[in-house]
Amino acid sequence: MLRLPEFSYHSPRSITEAVRIIADLNEDAMVVAGGTDVYPKMKRGQFSPRHLVSLRAVNELKGIDPNHRDGLWIGAGETLHSIANHRAIREIAPALAEAARSVAMAQIRNVATIGGNLLVDTRCNQYDQSYFWRQAAGFCLKKDGDRCLVAPASKKCLAVFSSDTAPVLQSIDARVVLDSRDGGRIVPVSELYRNDGIDFCVRRRDELLRALVIPRGSFGWRSIYLKLRRRDSFDFPLLGVAAALNLDRDGVCR
């Protein structure tokens, strides 16, 4: 049986408290929301934080507001179930609701958050194994090793990003709101990621994903999300494709 390693658990009640704890603990800390990806990877020895900062009690990370001054505001702590079934999201960004509904199974969607899906760790068949498996096969570049086992000549990790919601949010020009002890910033989803299996996101370690915003200019766009996976009931995508069209009243694509 795989067990969680020892760690200290922190449960802040506000964003201010959360970003202070994250900044103070620095590289020893990891943020957890729903935990559907973090806890299994801790059991497999892929993540080994000394401190976990839980965001479950931070109510400022909740809420869906289609009347926000910047557009449709979605708190990063909202569950994928809420995203998939919220009336405003289904009307304004139907592909986002569909992408959220396609993630895993109902039990996971009831716990997993939109923020967690946007920042989900990259995946690889050589990496997503137990510590004992990886120890026997040889550790890889992403964790504990010094070479990529998929492409030994590669100088960077080739683990792939597998978020279902990120392609949709990029296609409709969404932005994310990042908070830190030094202040906040807004980053377009199209600029949030890097082509690197290890350092795949521009979010700094001391930053907290607070919310995502769909601008009013994207309201009413025709959008769709299509997903290829081995098992339709559960698996991560082998391929995820999002498309959005801004059509005028005459049906001309703008």
Side-chain angles (χ1 to χ4, degrees):
M1 178 183 292
L2 298 178
R3 299 181 182 274
L4 283 170
E6 291 187 4
F7 59 89
S8 296
Y9 187 80
H10 304 263
S11 184
R13 301 286 174 172
S14 68
I15 290 178
T16 300
E17 184 182 3
V19 297
R20 176 185 57 80
I21 294 173
I22 294 168
D24 289 343
L25 296 175
N26 202 357
E27 295 185 359
D28 289 334
M30 177 172 284
V31 170
V32 62
T36 55
D37 190 60
V38 171
Y39 292 129
K41 289 193 171 181
M42 288 179 65
K43 289 183 177 182
R44 295 194 294 264
Q46 294 161 285
F47 295 160
S48 51
R50 294 174 56 189
H51 301 269
L52 275 184
V53 183
S54 172
L55 303 178
R56 293 182 68 107
V58 182
N59 290 328
E60 295 167 275
L61 297 175
K62 307 288 177 59
I64 300 173
D65 182 7
N67 299 313
H68 191 272
R69 65 180 183 275
D70 296 324
L72 173 57
W73 176 281
I74 303 174
E78 286 292 332
T79 66
L80 294 174
H81 173 81
S82 296
I83 302 299
N85 293 283
H86 196 278
R87 180 176 178 178
I89 294 177
R90 292 168 65 180
E91 291 178 353
I92 294 171
L96 178 58
E98 182 59 33
R101 189 177 294 108
S102 76
V103 176
M105 57 181 66
Q107 294 92 328
I108 290 179
R109 292 193 296 272
N110 286 337
V111 179
T113 65
I114 181 70
N117 192 254
L118 275 175
L119 299 177
V120 68
D121 189 32
T122 52
R123 301 180 58 79
C124 172
N125 288 338
Q126 300 293 328
Y127 168 68
D128 285 283
Q129 307 289 344
S130 70
Y131 176 85
F132 308 103
W133 189 100
R134 291 183 289 116
Q135 185 181 41
F139 295 115
C140 72
L141 187 62
K142 185 167 171 64
K143 178 65 175 175
D144 299 323
D146 57 5
R147 68 190 182 104
C148 176
L149 300 181
V150 174
S154 176
K155 295 182 179 180
K156 69 177 182 179
C157 173
L158 299 179
V160 297
F161 188 57
S162 56
S163 167
D164 286 294
T165 57
V168 176
L169 291 168
Q170 182 170 341
S171 73
I172 55 178
D173 295 333
R175 298 141 194 174
V176 295
V177 181
L178 301 172
D179 278 354
S180 71
R181 189 161 61 178
D182 298 328
R185 62 176 176 139
I186 298 176
V187 179
V189 175
S190 59
E191 299 176 11
L192 185 60
Y193 305 106
R194 298 189 181 102
N195 185 24
D196 189 307
I198 298 174
D199 189 19
F200 68 92
C201 181
V202 301
R203 179 185 69 91
R204 303 192 309 265
R205 292 189 64 89
D206 66 333
E207 287 183 316
L208 181 67
L209 177 57
R210 178 175 190 152
L212 57 101
V213 181
I214 299 173
R216 294 194 177 279
S218 300
F219 282 21
W221 286 19
R222 296 275 299 276
S223 62
I224 190 173
Y225 178 69
L226 300 175
K227 178 176 181 175
L228 174 66
R229 51 183 166 176
R230 290 188 177 92
R231 296 172 293 181
D232 287 341
S233 61
F234 183 77
D235 282 342
F236 281 92
L238 295 173
L239 177 66
V241 177
L245 296 176
N246 179 14
L247 302 177
D248 64 16
R249 293 182 180 180
D250 298 323
V252 177
C253 180
R254 296 301 181 186

